[in-house]
């Protein structure tokens, strides 16, 4: 079976809504991300503006991707949390190079991030773990993420046992050793905005290559050691 969906398209922004270099609110990627992210957060139609598609790969280059929730960002990078036994964690252990993409359809905007990950400290992971709702803490303990399981009933049984032990006042759920956080440290961040005529706007921040000098035409000098350039759509 072959289904033709070539005619599916939506209307993007018009020519009077382009994203130009003069529209950058920051000459480094984190300030620009903050502006776009806050705008996404202000739109009630966007239910999870912090959802990002995280792409990992094995040491042999076999890729996989899934959505995770970004739980913090700043000039040090983008933070997220997961099970350290999951497929993505195993792949990041052997190959720390990853990519992540935010997509806000309502705004016709996307942010692409390329870089590498490092584990967060046990202290930071524990602090975040205990900030989560208790049922979410229990679920993290009940699931050995990405491993095959006979049925959902098995998960429910584990959950019931844990709830009986920990869903009582003033009793803390211990963070499992196999659960914690990562920080994605970017080497490149691209800001994309869709245009109706498909001449989409793409402005990419990256770290300069050795002996590379901004010329002010193609490559522009940014802040904090970043340079930026416009890419063809």
């Amino acid at each position: 079976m072959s289904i033709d969906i070539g005619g599916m398209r939506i209307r993007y922004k018009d020519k009077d809504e382009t994203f130009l270099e003069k529209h950058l609110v920051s000459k480094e990627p984190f300030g620009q991300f903050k502006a776009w992210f806050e705008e996404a957060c202000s739109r009630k139609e966007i239910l999870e503006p912090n959802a990002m598609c995280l792409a990992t790969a094995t040491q042999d280059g076999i890729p996989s991707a899934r959505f995770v929730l970004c739980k913090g960002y700043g000039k040090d990078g983008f933070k997220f949390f997961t099970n350290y036994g999951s497929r993505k964690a195993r792949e990041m252990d052997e190959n720390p190079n990853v990519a992540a993409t935010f997509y806000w359809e309502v705004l016709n905007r996307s942010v692409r991030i390329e870089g590498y990950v490092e584990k967060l400290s046990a202290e930071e992971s524990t602090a975040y773990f205990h900030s989560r709702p208790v049922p979410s803490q229990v679920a993290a303990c009940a699931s050995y993420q990405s491993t095959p399981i006979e049925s959902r009933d098995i998960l429910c049984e584990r959950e019931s046992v844990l709830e009986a032990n920990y869903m009582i006042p003033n009793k803390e759920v211990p963070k499992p050793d196999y659960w914690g956080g990562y920080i994605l440290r970017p080497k490149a961040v691209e800001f994309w905005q869709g245009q109706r005529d498909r001449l989409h706007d793409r402005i990419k921040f990256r770290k300069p290559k050795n002996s590379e000098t901004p010329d002010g035409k193609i490559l522009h000098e940014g802040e904090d050691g970043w340079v930026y350039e416009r890419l063809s759509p």
Side-chain angles (χ1 to χ4, degrees):
M1 180 184 294
S2 177
I3 306 298
D4 182 6
I5 57 174
M8 293 180 65
R9 56 178 56 87
I10 63 172
R11 177 174 176 171
Y12 290 159
K13 294 184 182 295
D14 291 321
K15 291 184 178 180
D16 60 349
E17 299 178 280
T18 52
F19 174 48
L20 305 178
E21 286 77 356
K22 67 180 182 180
H23 297 141
L24 289 169
V25 300
S26 176
K27 296 300 176 66
E28 49 83 18
F30 304 107
Q32 183 62 41
F33 178 85
K34 182 175 184 291
W36 276 22
F37 181 74
E38 289 180 349
E39 186 172 352
C41 290
S42 72
R43 300 294 293 267
K44 63 181 180 181
E45 312 98 303
I46 303 176
L47 301 180
E48 289 188 309
N50 59 329
M52 64 181 187
C53 184
L54 176 70
T56 58
T58 65
Q59 198 169 27
D60 298 329
I62 306 299
S64 65
R66 79 291 292 155
F67 281 90
V68 299
L69 296 179
C70 178
K71 290 299 182 177
Y73 69 90
K75 291 192 175 184
D76 52 346
F78 299 82
K79 298 177 181 180
F80 61 96
F81 295 83
T82 190
N83 186 305
Y84 285 151
S86 64
R87 176 179 176 178
K88 59 183 168 298
R90 294 196 306 269
E91 291 180 357
M92 289 187 292
D93 282 346
E94 60 182 79
N95 179 2
N97 298 301
V98 305
T101 302
F102 292 84
Y103 179 55
W104 303 304
E105 181 182 6
V106 172
L107 299 174
N108 304 141
R109 286 176 175 171
S110 178
V111 180
R112 298 176 56 224
I113 304 161
E114 299 171 11
Y116 63 95
V117 292
E118 295 176 345
K119 283 184 176 179
L120 296 175
S121 69
E123 291 77 14
E124 186 169 358
S125 292
T126 299
Y128 172 71
F129 182 82
H130 288 132
S131 74
R132 307 173 82 206
V134 173
S136 297
Q137 297 179 41
V138 167
C141 297
S143 175
Y144 308 129
Q145 194 176 115
S146 300
T147 60
I149 191 167
E150 182 180 348
S151 70
R152 182 175 178 82
D153 291 340
I154 303 297
L155 283 175
C156 293
E157 288 171 10
R158 293 178 189 164
E159 183 181 48
S160 295
V161 171
L162 289 164
E163 285 177 343
N165 287 333
Y166 295 112
M167 296 287 282
I168 56 178
N170 302 318
K171 189 162 185 181
E172 187 174 81
V173 181
K175 183 190 77 65
D177 292 338
Y178 53 79
W179 194 96
Y182 289 89
I183 183 166
L184 194 176
R185 299 192 185 279
K187 294 181 179 179
V189 183
E190 178 186 326
F191 295 85
W192 176 95
Q193 181 170 285
Q195 297 301 136
R196 185 179 180 186
D197 58 8
R198 291 326 194 237
L199 294 180
H200 307 310
D201 290 310
R202 300 174 63 189
I203 297 179
K204 179 179 180 179
F205 287 87
R206 61 177 175 83
K207 294 295 186 178
K209 302 172 184 176
N210 291 336
S211 71
E212 190 175 37
T213 302
D215 60 9
K217 294 181 179 179
I218 299 294
L219 187 65
H220 304 272
E221 185 172 2
E223 298 173 349
D224 298 338
W226 293 87
V227 295
Y228 64 96
E229 58 199 351
R230 174 171 288 270
L231 302 181
S232 301

